[in-house]
Amino acid sequence: MQGYCFELITGPMSCGKTEELLRRIRRSIIAKKKVKVISPCIDTREQGDYIKSRNGLWLDAVKVKHSIQILSLVKEEDEIVAIDELQFFDSNIVKVIAKLMEQGKKVIGTGLDLDFKGDTFGSMPELMCLATTVDKLHAVCMKCGSDHATRTQRLIDGKPADKNSPLIMIGGDETYEARCVKCWELPDAKEDAKKSNVLKFALK
């Protein structure tokens, strides 16, 4: 049966999540399936109502602010619901996808499993448990060239972002790059300042 399943594609930035989503959507369209493509409004990298991969592939999409809106957008004739950037949706996204599965829809989604701090991102842990299949993609480390990059490195003025910077910062290749665990960096300016003050006090 086509529905009652949830395929989740995850991994770091630049690993090809959206590209893989688009590939699956295009196959479904070739098979004459009715597909609804959805993207969060918070992702402002593209100004139009579409999703786009780094290699230039794109497809029209409906942008939504709250996950609960998805249920009213998906029609009875829609057989497949594709959702990009799941980590940006509010916590109701778990219930929404579960409901779509109950309705017999096939859901295909993408999302970052970890944020730039290396912590689980949004509702991704629950979504990985809900998914019937999970494909975790790796990227190429932009520092050492390893093909097992699983972390997302945030950059500010070309340098690793401090762990105290805002959790969500929309950006492209100039702001984020894939790193392996060995090359991933997370400086902590507040902790470094504390250590510096302690050292200064000890030297007095």
Side-chain angles (χ1 to χ4, degrees):
M1 185 174 288
Q2 180 68 49
Y4 302 102
C5 69
F6 171 31
E7 300 175 1
L8 180 59
I9 307 161
T10 188
M13 293 283 283
S14 304
C15 69
K17 297 185 298 299
T18 301
E19 181 181 347
E20 175 60 19
L21 177 67
L22 290 169
R23 186 189 71 83
R24 297 185 193 187
I25 294 171
R26 291 184 186 281
R27 283 177 61 89
S28 298
I29 292 173
I30 291 171
K32 301 188 185 304
K33 303 294 183 182
K34 295 287 186 180
V35 183
K36 181 79 70 178
V37 184
I38 294 166
S39 176
C41 285
I42 193 172
D43 187 359
T44 56
R45 288 173 296 177
E46 307 301 337
Q47 298 303 311
D49 291 337
Y50 58 89
I51 59 174
K52 183 179 178 181
S53 67
R54 278 179 164 72
N55 67 354
L57 296 176
W58 65 277
L59 203 64
D60 290 333
V62 180
K63 291 198 173 184
V64 301
K65 186 173 182 180
H66 303 293
S67 59
I68 202 71
Q69 293 175 260
I70 296 172
L71 293 178
S72 61
L73 289 169
V74 176
K75 305 304 179 184
E76 185 176 350
E77 62 268 21
D78 293 323
E79 299 168 86
I80 299 171
V81 182
I83 310 174
D84 200 26
E85 305 290 359
L86 284 165
Q87 77 280 355
F88 287 144
F89 284 97
D90 56 84
S91 60
N92 282 325
I93 191 64
V94 180
K95 293 179 181 178
V96 167
I97 291 178
K99 183 66 176 179
L100 291 172
M101 293 170 70
E102 289 175 13
Q103 294 174 353
K105 311 297 184 185
K106 176 180 180 178
V107 182
I108 311 173
T110 74
L112 291 167
D113 53 348
L114 301 174
D115 60 26
F116 82 99
K117 301 179 184 181
D119 297 328
T120 54
F121 207 153
S123 298
M124 287 301 290
E126 294 90 339
L127 292 173
M128 291 176 77
C129 292
L130 178 64
T132 49
T133 62
V134 177
D135 292 302
K136 182 163 182 174
L137 307 182
H138 293 175
V140 174
C141 177
M142 298 305 291
K143 191 169 183 180
C144 74
S146 164
D147 59 357
H148 292 290
T150 57
R151 299 294 178 95
T152 297
Q153 181 73 63
R154 177 184 287 173
L155 301 172
I156 297 179
D157 295 328
K159 297 179 180 179
D162 186 82
K163 70 177 296 182
N164 301 296
S165 60
L167 176 61
I168 297 176
M169 185 181 294
I170 305 300
D173 294 338
E174 75 288 348
T175 309
Y176 294 98
E177 64 181 28
R179 295 272 185 99
C180 65
V181 174
K182 182 180 178 181
C183 295
W184 175 71
E185 302 171 71
L186 187 64
D188 187 345
K190 288 184 179 179
E191 187 62 29
D192 290 343
K194 286 181 182 179
K195 290 179 180 178
S196 178
N197 289 335
V198 169
L199 179 60
K200 288 178 182 178
F201 179 80
L203 292 174
K204 285 183 178 179

